[in-house]
Amino acid sequence: MTRFWITYLQLVELFVSSLVHLLYGFYIFSSAVAGDISQALNEYFQKPKLNNVEVNEGKLVKGDEERETNANDLPPIVLVHGIFGFGKGRLGGLSYFGGAEKKDERVLVPDLGSLTSVYDRARELFYYLKGGRVDYGEEHSKACGHLQFGRIYEQGHYPEWDGDHPIHFVGHSAGAQVVRVLQQMLADKAFKGYENTSENWVLSITALSGAFNGTTRAYFDGMQPEDGRTLKLVCLLQLCRIGVIIYDWFDIPWLKNYYNFGFDHYNMSWKNMGLWGLVDCLLGNAGPFASGDWILPDLTIQGSIRTNYHLHTFPNTYYFSYATKRTTKIMGVTVPSSILRIHPLLFIRVLQMSQWRHPQDVSPPYKGYRDEDWLDNDGALNTISMTHPRLPIEHPNRLVEKDADCQPLEPGIWYYKFVEGDHILFIINRERAGLEFDLIYDTIFQRCRNHVFRKKLPTLPNQIHH
């Protein structure tokens, strides 16, 4: 009888979680559509007056040229989205970063695969900036069963990118880990035809709720804690997997132009695989979910350790991380720190993650693992995972309690600061975060512009060797 009730409660929780995620997805999609319709109507009924434009044409052009010249002197700030995210050009005029990109004159917001692996997204990010056809690598492509080449960027968004023209990166959630993987690829000269790449192409990395060390949420959503690779038979991620496969199989052009999960290099369209190919994918015999080449295995603790094993913190790059949490302790018990200030999409997970216990019959993911270290969270990631890379080896780090603690900022060290907020406080809905939204992004952009402009390579902490 006890087992029956446990199963019943798990199914109820799955139903509620699925419904909440579905409704939120519909809300985001409908908001984007409504925004586009509103913008189109405004443009139609409020056409600019040609006379005013002609009178002021000279001044406008001159001002634009001056602003463009000044902006071109600055290294770009690249905002990299997280899981289920999107870049400029997707979901109409909706901004993943809540319009933060408008705070600086030189900001790029790439659109990467929203569910593709950290590895694939890092490759896509390189070609987004440099231009050319995305090359996922021959060995990786064969191992995962997808095409070696993907999207073509006729013109890179920053083709002059090199050691003399480095870039600032700001990554939210899994986007922060994507940037770290990209920097390691640059250091390893992993891009064919670009033998001069180096880690010094990256000027700074700022992580906003960065997914450095995995999350216990992955196990609540359906990843097996035994290996961090396979899915449970009945879980939220199974529903997600089925939905994504069907979405890609139907391959509706206008819909995929509006939002794309990023699996085009798997050729899951009905035109390529037919009905039996769809069945094969749904049964788990083919596609990204069969090969493990998607984002969730990278977000387990085991997956993050596998990734981090090859990643370094480099001595000439500046690092800063904001670690969010929405939990507190009451009489020694970790509980959500608020009800109204936690997004409905995340409240159940904040509660569940604060009560996480690793299965006793499963080996811990690493030596020295303790449940109590992983209780504080923001509804998507554990706070311990967001401060700095710490598994399998802890990287140089320093806690920032006040601004004076990081002035001057030194490269080669992960500075981190705790912020009270859930995982999506600083994205999508700017009004929800209020003044805190502006404070966070203004500080990030100001730090990029004023504190970490590298004119010549400094001599600072030794590179870590794993």
Side-chain angles (χ1 to χ4, degrees):
M1 180 61 79
T2 302
R3 181 174 295 180
F4 169 80
W5 281 108
I6 291 175
T7 302
Y8 174 76
L9 291 174
Q10 288 175 337
L11 291 175
V12 170
E13 185 274 331
L14 175 60
F15 173 77
V16 173
S17 293
S18 303
L19 184 62
V20 170
H21 282 78
L22 192 63
L23 289 175
Y24 184 69
F26 179 76
Y27 162 75
I28 293 294
F29 189 84
S30 59
S31 296
V33 172
D36 284 353
I37 293 175
S38 176
Q39 182 178 352
L41 291 175
N42 284 335
E43 290 176 354
Y44 180 79
F45 289 109
Q46 297 178 2
K47 294 180 179 179
K49 295 180 180 179
L50 295 176
N51 291 338
N52 289 341
V53 173
E54 290 173 358
V55 169
N56 296 311
E57 186 177 2
K59 293 181 180 179
L60 284 172
V61 170
K62 182 179 179 181
D64 287 345
E65 286 180 348
E66 290 177 354
R67 282 192 293 272
E68 185 176 351
T69 300
N70 292 334
N72 287 339
D73 292 336
L74 299 172
I77 299 174
V78 182
L79 305 183
V80 184
H81 64 75
I83 185 172
F84 286 108
F86 52 93
K88 187 176 181 181
R90 299 288 185 187
L91 286 178
L94 195 63
S95 168
Y96 179 86
F97 288 93
E101 61 271 23
K102 298 176 182 177
K103 286 180 169 289
D104 190 271
E105 294 177 323
R106 199 83 189 277
V107 178
L108 300 173
V109 190
D111 180 68
L112 309 176
S114 66
L115 279 180
T116 50
S117 65
V118 168
Y119 175 94
D120 285 359
R121 294 180 66 194
R123 305 290 294 191
E124 292 165 6
L125 180 54
F126 177 84
Y127 289 99
Y128 166 89
L129 293 166
K130 289 294 288 183
R133 190 170 190 177
V134 176
D135 182 354
Y136 294 104
E138 183 179 1
E139 184 178 347
H140 170 81
S141 301
K142 286 182 178 179
C144 296
H146 62 65
L147 300 176
Q148 179 180 345
F149 299 100
R151 181 175 177 179
I152 298 175
Y153 292 98
E154 298 288 353
Q155 176 65 38
H157 289 76
Y158 193 54
E160 61 266 42
W161 184 30
D162 58 21
D164 295 324
H165 304 87
I167 290 179
H168 297 287
F169 288 94
V170 179
H172 175 255
S173 190
Q177 192 76 325
V178 169
V179 177
R180 293 188 65 226
V181 171
L182 173 60
Q183 185 177 29
Q184 189 63 54
M185 288 178 176
L186 294 171
D188 295 340
K189 306 187 186 310
F191 296 95
K192 190 175 181 180
Y194 295 91
E195 285 73 25
N196 65 332
T197 62
S198 81
E199 64 275 12
N200 295 320
W201 287 28
V202 178
L203 187 52
S204 73
I205 297 177
T206 301
L208 196 55
S209 306
F212 298 129
N213 305 287
T215 173
T216 56
R217 169 161 180 168
Y219 310 120
F220 284 111
D221 285 347
M223 298 302 296
Q224 295 280 12
E226 289 84 357
D227 59 9
R229 292 177 183 268
T230 55
L231 285 175
K232 299 172 184 175
L233 186 60
V234 180
C235 62
L236 183 64
L237 290 178
Q238 284 285 10
L239 299 178
C240 172
R241 180 185 74 89
I242 294 170
V244 171
I245 290 172
I246 293 174
Y247 185 92
D248 268 35
W249 187 80
F250 275 110
D251 192 22
I252 304 172
W254 71 266
L255 196 57
K256 290 191 73 174
N257 284 334
Y258 215 63
Y259 186 82
N260 195 331
F261 292 105
F263 293 121
D264 290 345
H265 52 306
Y266 272 92
N267 270 343
M268 292 194 292
S269 168
W270 62 272
K271 303 170 188 175
N272 300 311
M273 63 167 43
L275 182 60
W276 291 115
L278 172 63
V279 173
D280 217 25
C281 283
L282 291 174
L283 291 176
N285 299 324
F289 305 101
S291 65
D293 189 34
W294 64 301
I295 190 66
L296 260 300
D298 293 332
L299 294 181
T300 63
I301 298 175
Q302 298 97 322
S304 294
I305 291 174
R306 288 191 291 268
T307 301
N308 285 339
Y309 186 80
H310 305 284
L311 304 183
H312 298 80
T313 290
F314 294 97
N316 297 318
T317 300
Y318 298 87
Y319 301 92
F320 202 100
S321 177
Y322 293 92
T324 46
K325 74 169 190 171
R326 264 299 176 201
T327 51
T328 188
K329 278 187 170 57
I330 299 178
M331 300 180 65
V333 179
T334 305
V335 295
S337 60
S338 174
I339 295 178
L340 298 179
R341 298 195 65 187
I342 299 176
H343 196 282
L345 182 71
L346 300 172
F347 183 81
I348 292 177
R349 288 297 186 257
V350 172
L351 179 61
Q352 289 177 317
M353 292 171 69
S354 68
Q355 306 303 312
W356 165 255
R357 296 294 181 271
H358 191 77
Q360 294 183 354
D361 58 340
V362 177
S363 299
Y366 60 90
K367 187 177 180 180
Y369 169 85
R370 302 187 310 164
D371 282 331
E372 52 265 37
D373 294 335
W374 293 82
L375 300 184
D376 284 325
N377 69 88
D378 66 0
L381 295 176
N382 310 87
T383 306
I384 189 177
S385 179
M386 294 182 265
T387 57
H388 59 280
R390 58 173 77 227
L391 298 173
I393 295 175
E394 190 165 21
H395 292 218
N397 61 90
R398 188 176 301 168
L399 172 63
V400 176
E401 294 182 347
K402 51 184 183 294
D403 291 340
D405 296 336
C406 59
Q407 293 179 358
L409 201 68
E410 297 180 30
I413 298 173
W414 281 94
Y415 292 85
Y416 66 93
K417 185 175 185 177
F418 293 109
V419 178
E420 189 69 22
D422 62 40
H423 195 67
I424 59 175
L425 184 63
F426 299 110
I427 61 171
I428 308 295
N429 189 344
R430 182 175 187 161
E431 286 71 26
R432 183 168 172 260
L435 180 61
E436 206 168 358
F437 180 97
D438 293 312
L439 289 174
I440 285 284
Y441 283 107
D442 286 345
T443 302
I444 291 173
F445 291 163
Q446 183 181 10
R447 187 183 300 116
C448 289
R449 294 303 179 218
N450 298 338
H451 299 297
V452 291
F453 190 89
R454 184 201 303 143
K455 293 184 179 178
K456 63 179 181 178
L457 298 181
T459 304
L460 274 160
N462 292 329
Q463 179 178 331
I464 301 174
H465 296 283
H466 295 315

